[in-house]
Amino acid sequence: NKGKFNLLFDNEFTGKLKISIKDLAGKTLRQYYADKNESFYIDEMDLSKLGKGVYFIEMIYKDKRETVKVVLE
């Protein structure tokens, strides 16, 4: 992955999502909130400025946490 991709979050939850981008050490590089008003949420992600490496996209909603691993080449 070169850093540009679509993040798709598909489940029945609607409401506020907290989205964090973290590096391999767990340091938060970027964090924002999004409103998920339908059963799916799509976000155009551009991590290309972060450089090569392993990153984690963490989505927190209600009392749940989901994490996606992204490898930039």
Side-chain angles (χ1 to χ4, degrees):
N1 185 320
K2 302 288 184 196
K4 293 184 180 183
F5 58 93
N6 287 324
L7 174 68
L8 173 62
F9 185 60
D10 187 9
N11 66 12
E12 295 303 315
F13 168 77
T14 56
K16 278 252 190 260
L17 281 175
K18 180 180 175 183
I19 301 172
S20 301
I21 300 165
K22 299 183 177 193
D23 64 12
L24 194 55
K27 179 182 174 187
T28 301
L29 306 173
R30 191 182 310 160
Q31 181 173 291
Y32 60 96
Y33 292 87
D35 291 316
K36 184 172 178 276
N37 299 317
E38 299 179 39
S39 63
F40 64 92
Y41 173 79
I42 298 175
D43 192 1
E44 287 185 23
M45 304 289 290
D46 184 357
L47 306 183
S48 60
K49 294 180 182 176
L50 296 179
K52 295 179 181 181
V54 178
Y55 299 94
F56 297 93
I57 301 171
E58 181 180 76
M59 295 159 286
I60 299 173
Y61 58 100
K62 288 189 179 181
D63 58 348
K64 298 183 180 180
R65 177 183 314 247
E66 293 191 29
T67 305
V68 176
K69 180 180 174 182
V70 177
V71 178
L72 301 186
E73 300 173 344

